Amino acid sequence: MPDEPLSGYRGRRVLITGHNGFVGSWTTRRLDGLGAEVFGFSRSGRQPHAPMSEGVSVTFGDVSDRATVFEAMERYRPDIVLHLAAQPLVSEAVADPGTTVRANTLGTAHVLEAAVRTATVRSVVLMGTPGEPDQGVEDALDPYTASKTAGAALAAGFAHRATQRAAGRRSALHVRVVRPGVILGGDLTPGRLLPGVIDALNSGSPVRISRPGHRRPWQHVLDVAQEVLSAGLAAAGAPSSAPSFEIRNLTQKSSLATVQHLVSTFLRHWGKPEWPMEIPVEDQLAGVTDPPAGSAAPSSQGGPVWDLDGTVAAAAWWYRAVQEDPTARARATDRQIHLYASDLRRLAASRAAASTELRKEP
């Protein structure tokens, strides 16, 4: 069976912004088990979704504060920067677009500028949106999507040869943008889909879902963490002579499903397949709508480790384990990471064997 694909992180210095957020905390937990020297940069006062390891050095600050970002970059002098800090909720972006833009656009600029001016940094990975919608479509570009799309454009600007030359870099800084689908599993954020389903189950209420016919590409958080880490490691090993910029779409057609189908699948794995759903009147007659253009673009990667049913099953298992014993969150998280890594190695071996057989064919 192949070795751990991310074994190249052993001994590397990695700075993760937003390390105590949803994707950030799972990525940090995965990375800490790979033998990297991990540094976190996040706002204080937030309980991480996946428990933090004691070996993670942390600076509390806001990416919209340029001086604090530069101080952290100078203090840690990382090899790889994973920029996962963001204001991720569309509803909050609509209510307070200024704060969202400061975090997702200005904050991204500060991280990129600090990285390009720090000679040790070889690669930066940013979390993008699922895809850039058609800006001519009414309501397609909400404040959250606009802020993240602008951040991706900035990433390309800082990957530009002239920008890096002006910053005095002698070796190239490589920049990657990872665009996931809708992320599931291990998410405790109030207002998100699956935490809302669990709240309804706990209270004995029908599960209220809006826009049930919206079809979206769904992914497990560990698939996203894996791709973020893979992108950072691959870019860090890229030639040092010329900078590069790349966007990685992670979604697959097989991951597309409506909100109602996703919730039904979760209820089945929870053991309550007949639990009632409540759909707002205005949504009851709506049909199925596909994602914005680009958000279901085929992945250039090998595909997810867990298919949609496996993703939902894994999410249900984690939520149930944590709910039954809140003190077991670290054990449940580490067990899920272990199972994921085992399945990843098994899948890699299967793909390698299939590739070998294809090369043998006349």
Side-chain angles (χ1 to χ4, degrees), residues 28-163:
T28 300
R29 191 81 179 182
R30 174 91 165 95
L31 182 60
D32 187 58
L34 296 170
E37 192 172 357
V38 186
F39 310 101
F41 182 95
S42 295
R43 289 178 295 169
S44 61
R46 174 189 291 176
Q47 181 185 14
H49 299 256
M52 288 292 107
S53 301
E54 293 182 359
V56 179
S57 300
V58 176
T59 292
F60 289 113
D62 193 320
V63 291
S64 63
D65 182 346
R66 181 177 182 273
T68 305
V69 174
F70 270 69
E71 288 170 7
M73 198 74 70
E74 178 60 30
R75 180 184 309 119
Y76 297 132
R77 299 190 68 77
D79 306 313
I80 297 171
V81 175
L82 308 177
H83 177 43
L84 307 180
Q87 191 301 97
L89 299 178
V90 173
S91 58
E92 289 191 16
V94 172
D96 186 3
T99 297
T100 298
V101 169
R102 283 191 293 274
N104 296 353
T105 305
L106 188 61
T108 295
H110 292 160
V111 171
L112 287 164
E113 184 184 5
V116 82
R117 295 183 183 279
T118 302
T120 60
V121 181
R122 293 284 290 119
S123 67
V124 179
V125 180
L126 288 77
M127 184 70 70
T129 60
E132 294 184 8
D134 183 349
Q135 297 183 28
V137 177
E138 184 179 1
D139 292 335
L141 206 60
D142 60 81
Y144 166 75
T145 307
S147 68
K148 295 294 286 184
T149 301
L154 285 169
F158 278 93
H160 197 282
R161 186 190 301 267
T163 306

Side-chain angles (χ1 to χ4, degrees), residues 177-240:
V177 176
V178 171
R179 286 183 175 155
V182 182
I183 308 171
L184 301 172
D187 179 13
L188 300 173
T189 306
R192 290 266 178 83
L193 180 60
L194 293 186
V197 172
I198 294 170
D199 286 345
L201 289 165
N202 289 338
S203 66
S205 305
V207 174
R208 182 179 174 85
I209 55 174
S210 58
R211 300 180 176 180
H214 277 218
R215 184 161 33 212
R216 293 294 178 263
W218 310 91
Q219 291 178 300
H220 195 275
V221 63
L222 283 172
D223 268 326
V224 179
Q226 181 73 21
E227 192 53 49
V228 166
L229 291 169
S230 296
L233 190 61
S240 61

Side-chain angles (χ1 to χ4, degrees), residues 116-117 157-173 241-243:
V116 82
R117 295 183 183 279
F158 278 93
H160 197 282
R161 186 190 301 267
T163 306
Q164 298 196 18
R165 186 184 301 119
R169 288 195 68 94
R170 295 189 176 182
S171 61
L173 174 68
S241 56

Side-chain angles (χ1 to χ4, degrees), residues 19-22 25-26 45-52 186 188 318 329:
H19 80 286
N20 59 5
F22 175 27
S25 60
W26 279 84
R46 174 189 291 176
Q47 181 185 14
H49 299 256
M52 288 292 107
L188 300 173
W318 187 89
R329 195 152 55 94

